[in-house]
Amino acid sequence: MLGIRTIALRGLLSLFVALSALSARDVRATETVAPSVAIRFAFDRPIESSMAPFFVAMKDGRFAAQHLAVSLTSAAGSPEALARVAKGDSDLALVDINELIRFRDNADAPPVKAVFVLFNRAPYAIVARKSRGIHLLSDLDGKTVGVAESDLSIRLWPALAQQNGITTSHVKFHKMSAAVREPILSAGQVDAVAGFPYLSAVNLRDRGVPGNDLAVLRYADYGCEAYGFAVVVSPVFAAVKPDAVKGFLRALVAGINATVKEPVRAVDEVLGRMDNGERDLELERLHTVLADDILTDEVRRDGLGGVDPARLERSIDQIAQDFKFRRRPTARDIFDPQFLPPVEGRLIN
């Protein structure tokens, strides 16, 4: 009987030692998990479906997998979003890279740089009514184009007009609020408006303007070299937490790939963060921006996020036709590729 108790006690002791060792390993494993790095990210405008990759990445735990705790906010335009990053109020932001080029011309501007280009082509366009005699860019001669007060695309108009033999003085620009841009065109008060196809053109169709009456004259189809929306980073944050920036971009690439594969699910993620979003409308926006601005031939060949330095230099020259730089920035001043994942990790699957 004593022998049986001794054997039982030895068994319990062995079990206790094994459990203690296992528990110690669990504690050590917990201690070695990297703490999450907080990232304050700002969009430069209200939420819409072109931002879906960010929300999909968050929903799928892609940021968490990179040990990042990302908070998302919106600013009132690229200048405000850039100002937040410059002051350190935001760590990263999505802005129009062409506004960044102008921002860097300020004498006291901190060296904010883009680290990932989401829109391989700027979404700039003139959206016109064919019933007003506009089918090509040259048809704008003698016409009136509505331009929102905050519109950035019009700053590249001089270069575009020169490239296409259009006399700028022959085109009248009517300043207006962005809120009335599409209503004024649909009412026939102007012949065309400057805007983004995935916003203005889709909104006009939603307002009942027949799609076959719309001429979408994309700047990129007429020689504009500009890139579009890009992720910029605070120089201080980039210097102190470079691995966090790299992890953010890895998560974003995964979010883009998931959005391409499942656009309906991606739109649903966006709608959950909008006040009055319409599913069909936002899905049409997403399909338009993917086809026109994100999944370009250049991206399919070279991968997401990067730039062609020679093309970026040419786009800066185009901006310079209407903007007098104190000191013209170079492509290196604007874009820093060191945080990008390897090319093979950025190819669209």
Side-chain angles (χ1 to χ4, degrees), residues 12-129:
L12 288 171
L13 182 60
S14 298
L15 179 61
F16 175 77
V17 170
L19 289 172
S20 297
L22 181 61
S23 177
R25 283 199 300 272
D26 288 344
V27 169
R28 285 196 297 273
T30 301
E31 289 174 346
T32 58
V33 172
S36 292
V37 175
I39 289 183
R40 297 163 300 172
F41 185 90
F43 294 113
D44 74 335
R45 56 198 186 282
I47 292 170
E48 34 83 0
S49 56
S50 72
M51 304 163 184
F54 296 90
F55 299 120
V56 171
M58 183 170 282
K59 176 66 174 181
D60 292 350
R62 298 292 187 172
F63 293 126
Q66 299 295 328
H67 308 295
L68 304 175
V70 179
S71 58
L72 304 173
T73 60
S74 293
S78 286
E80 182 182 311
L82 278 167
R84 289 188 190 184
V85 172
K87 293 176 184 176
D89 295 336
S90 294
D91 305 307
L92 295 99
L94 185 70
V95 306
D96 187 326
I97 197 171
N98 303 292
E99 185 63 25
L100 172 65
I101 291 169
R102 296 177 180 86
F103 171 83
R104 287 298 304 272
D105 187 54
N106 295 323
D108 58 348
V112 176
K113 292 186 180 183
V115 292
F116 188 96
V117 170
L118 179 63
F119 279 27
N120 182 259
R121 287 194 299 214
Y124 303 157
I126 302 293
V127 181
R129 299 288 294 269

Side-chain angles (χ1 to χ4, degrees), residues 48-53 119 121 197-199 202 205 218 258-268 270 279-296 300:
E48 34 83 0
S49 56
S50 72
M51 304 163 184
F119 279 27
R121 287 194 299 214
Y198 74 95
L199 293 177
V202 172
R205 288 194 292 270
R218 296 179 178 85
T259 297
V260 172
K261 291 177 183 177
E262 301 180 88
V264 174
R265 180 173 76 90
V267 165
D268 286 341
V270 175
R279 198 165 188 257
D280 290 343
L281 197 62
E282 293 305 320
L283 187 59
E284 185 179 357
R285 289 196 211 287
L286 181 58
H287 283 308
T288 300
V289 79
L290 287 174
D292 290 351
D293 307 313
I294 296 179
L295 303 181
T296 66
R300 293 186 184 279

